[in-house]
Amino acid sequence: MTLSRRRLLGAAQAAALAVPPLAGCGGGGGAPSPSPAPPPAPAPPPASPPNFLIFVTDDQRFDTLSCAGHPVVRTPVIDALAARGTRFSQAYVTTPICAASRASLITGLNERTHQFTFGSPPLATRWAQTSYPARLRAAGWRTALIGKFDVGLPEGQRAVLFDHFDEILQNPAFKDLPDGRRVHETDLCAERAIAWLESLPPGQRFSLDVHFNAPHAEYTDVQTLYPWPPSTNGLYEDVAIPLPRLADPAVYEALPAFLKTSLNRDQFFWCCDDPAKYQRTMRSHFRMISGIDAAVGRVLAALERLGRAQDTVVVVMSDNGYYLGERGLAGKWSHFEESVRIPWIVADPRRPAALRGRVETTTAALNVDLAPTLLDLAGLPPTPGTQGRSLVPALDGRTDAGRAEDFLCEHLWPHPSIPRWEGVRSRRWVYARYLDVAPAFEFLHDLQSDPDQLVNLAGRPEHAAVLTERRARCDALIAEAVAARGA
């Protein structure tokens, strides 16, 4: 199969970043393969605190990278980061929506604790001041955010987090600039990130967040839906996009009525109800992802040119997952795998070769883990009360340490077409209860026998004991999260 313009795009990205063989890019769509055995004696952590370059995409699910086994999407630059870093194949968000998840990214707190989402008051000052940008800035890092933020802050607090703040909003995707150019927001994020890096004094430690709006849909134009950057024009044009998994109408019909009439179902008709429309919109969505990949390559090339690549930890992740027609749904918000599971790669050039190119399949990496991981890498103590934990042990090749068997997940934004829910997820069990119906509607899935979450065991007598225990565990985690708010 030949991709239109694949050679051109590949050459451009290869020029942006010379990469080793993709040793850590094994499949990620099915059952996880065992992680490589860690070295017997991992090297001690590097003594010099690093810089940080954090790329966050929007609405990108876990398997839409070629290094995660996707049959169509091509992401050679991000694949190369995975080849010299660690890819967490079991990465999740605790709330699958932009605003709440991004507040969790910077604070290390669950939505239930930080209480920020769309329509809520700004993030509390105490959480803003203990966020990772604020703490890094206070410790001497120059901090910047370029692109999408989506977290409301109290007046005066933005300057506590960021020395430089350049918010680039989504709609429209193409920006008309004062110099007469018309630039896609993905390319504009990369352009301004490079300019900021070039402005830094030599040797200045930095933490740069580059938050793309892509591949989020542009809701104001449902005909185009996924406007891609010009660098990916024609890409995937001659590719037949495979139908989504779980596309059997019986999967949709088995859903409860409140999910069948939710925004997840409404958005299905924007992209996926017609074969020709599905092919068109999926090509557009995948072009947006490849456009991000090319933009990341340009920023990394600038980092190399400026002599900062060898002391900069690079992170690539998303703020939530995304349905692409599975289960008869589109969008995010609900509790199934496609909505909550994300890509996550950490590349630390200071770590020994034996620890690079790994696919970590045993550690559950959560969005709330980003803040404590960055602070740990920076040599700073953890923020008291954080609900995330550092992933540095996993980066060092050690097995999951410090996390309980399960974690709280939830979606609490009041919206007439998005049912609220709360639940708890473990390696084996997924429990979720939807709150906007009476009585609350419960799901119980056994990931061991049903990894696709097709069978709801909540009403089966033989699973009553598990249901009771998972329900109680959910209640306990919620109580802990509420207590963590403090005064």
Side-chain angles (χ1 to χ4, degrees):
M1 183 189 303
T2 302
L3 298 182
S4 300
R5 302 183 69 257
R6 177 191 284 177
R7 183 172 299 175
L8 176 61
L9 182 62
Q13 291 174 326
L17 186 66
V19 300
L22 304 186
C25 295
S33 56
S35 298
S48 176
N51 307 303
F52 300 105
L53 177 55
I54 302 110
F55 296 102
V56 179
T57 65
D58 196 323
D59 286 3
Q60 184 180 5
R61 54 191 264 168
F62 71 99
D63 58 352
T64 51
L65 297 172
S66 45
C67 70
H70 199 277
V72 176
V73 177
R74 295 293 172 260
T75 50
V77 173
I78 295 173
D79 296 349
L81 285 171
R84 65 175 193 255
T86 300
R87 180 168 68 85
F88 292 90
S89 68
Q90 305 298 307
Y92 300 90
V93 295
T94 52
T95 301
I97 194 170
C98 312
S101 180
R102 288 167 183 265
S104 293
L105 286 176
I106 65 170
T107 63
L109 300 172
N110 293 319
E111 179 188 5
R112 185 80 55 158
T113 300
H114 65 62
Q115 298 181 279
F116 180 81
T117 189
F118 290 114
S120 72
L123 187 70
T125 297
R126 68 185 186 278
W127 305 140
Q129 293 184 346
T130 54
S131 66
Y132 78 76
R135 291 201 55 204
L136 289 172
R137 184 173 180 272
W141 275 258
R142 188 79 59 86
T143 60
L145 184 134
I146 295 169
K148 178 174 181 173
F149 188 46
D150 241 7
V151 179
L153 297 175
E155 187 174 354
Q157 290 305 304
R158 184 183 294 172
V160 176
L161 277 70
F162 302 111
D163 294 290
H164 177 79
F165 185 87
D166 184 359
E167 188 170 35
I168 300 173
L169 301 177
Q170 178 186 21
N171 296 325
F174 287 89
K175 312 299 183 186
D176 293 316
L177 303 183
D179 61 7
R181 293 181 300 140
R182 198 163 190 256
V183 181
H184 191 277
E185 66 88 13
T186 295
D187 297 329
L188 188 59
C189 285
E191 181 180 303
R192 292 186 176 172
I194 292 168
W196 186 79
L197 288 170
E198 291 173 339
S199 75
L200 292 172
Q204 170 65 55
R205 272 191 225 146
F206 68 85
S207 176
L208 170 59
D209 285 80
V210 183
H211 291 204
F212 300 105
N213 290 280
H216 194 292
E218 188 163 313
Y219 294 158
T220 58
D221 182 4
V222 296
Q223 294 303 311
T224 303
L225 200 59
Y226 302 112
W228 63 88
S231 62
T232 60
N233 283 346
L235 196 62
Y236 311 122
E237 195 62 44
D238 56 353
V239 177
I241 309 298
L243 291 176
R245 294 180 68 251
L246 312 181
D248 187 329
V251 177
Y252 166 76
E253 292 299 335
L255 296 174
F258 63 86
L259 287 180
K260 289 182 180 179
T261 57
S262 70
L263 191 57
N264 283 132
R265 183 59 174 176
D266 292 345
Q267 291 197 1
F268 174 83
F269 294 100
W270 295 3
C271 66
C272 305
D273 61 316
D274 172 79
K277 183 193 297 183
Y278 178 77
Q279 294 294 316
R280 183 179 73 250
T281 55
M282 290 306 102
R283 289 185 184 113
S284 302
H285 185 71
F286 297 159
R287 286 172 189 149
M288 292 184 87
I289 293 171
S290 290
I292 292 168
D293 188 74
V296 169
R298 291 194 293 277
V299 178
L300 295 181
L303 198 69
E304 188 75 45
R305 172 172 52 81
L306 294 168
R308 307 306 301 269
Q310 294 309 307
D311 59 359
T312 300
V313 173
V314 181
V315 175
V316 178
M317 66 187 307
S318 184
D319 61 354
N320 49 249
Y322 204 66
Y323 300 102
L324 293 171
E326 296 82 8
R327 308 176 195 275
L329 307 176
K332 57 267 187 183
W333 310 300
S334 45
H335 77 280
F336 293 110
E337 188 90 349
E338 297 85 2
S339 175
V340 299
R341 192 171 167 194
I342 61 170
W344 193 346
I345 292 164
V346 179
D348 184 347
R350 306 165 307 148
R351 280 181 154 64
L355 293 176
R356 300 180 190 178
R358 298 176 57 252
V359 181
E360 176 54 57
T361 63
T362 60
T363 297
L366 308 182
N367 57 346
V368 293
D369 296 337
L370 177 65
T373 299
L374 298 181
L375 295 176
D376 193 358
L377 289 167
L380 300 177
T383 300
T386 186
Q387 289 153 342
R389 57 78 201 261
S390 173
L391 297 176
V392 169
L395 298 177
D396 286 339
R398 289 178 268 158
T399 55
D400 198 359
R403 162 141 294 136
E405 171 66 17
D406 47 25
F407 57 88
L408 179 68
C409 40
E410 57 196 349
H411 187 288
L412 303 177
W413 180 35
H415 187 286
S417 299
I418 302 175
R420 296 175 305 138
W421 62 275
E422 58 197 16
V424 58
R425 183 181 179 113
S426 71
R427 288 181 174 88
R428 179 169 181 181
W429 299 102
V430 172
Y431 169 77
R433 61 184 174 224
Y434 282 80
L435 306 174
D436 294 326
V437 290
F441 188 96
E442 296 179 301
F443 283 93
L444 180 68
H445 304 292
D446 183 351
L447 297 177
Q448 191 174 92
S449 62
D450 177 30
D452 287 328
Q453 299 167 275
L454 296 176
V455 180
N456 185 7
L457 303 173
R460 299 194 178 184
E462 65 270 27
H463 290 92
V466 175
L467 179 64
T468 299
E469 187 276 329
R470 291 287 84 193
R471 186 188 293 144
R473 178 61 176 157
C474 182
D475 291 341
L477 290 173
I478 288 171
E480 290 175 12
V482 170
R485 296 174 191 167

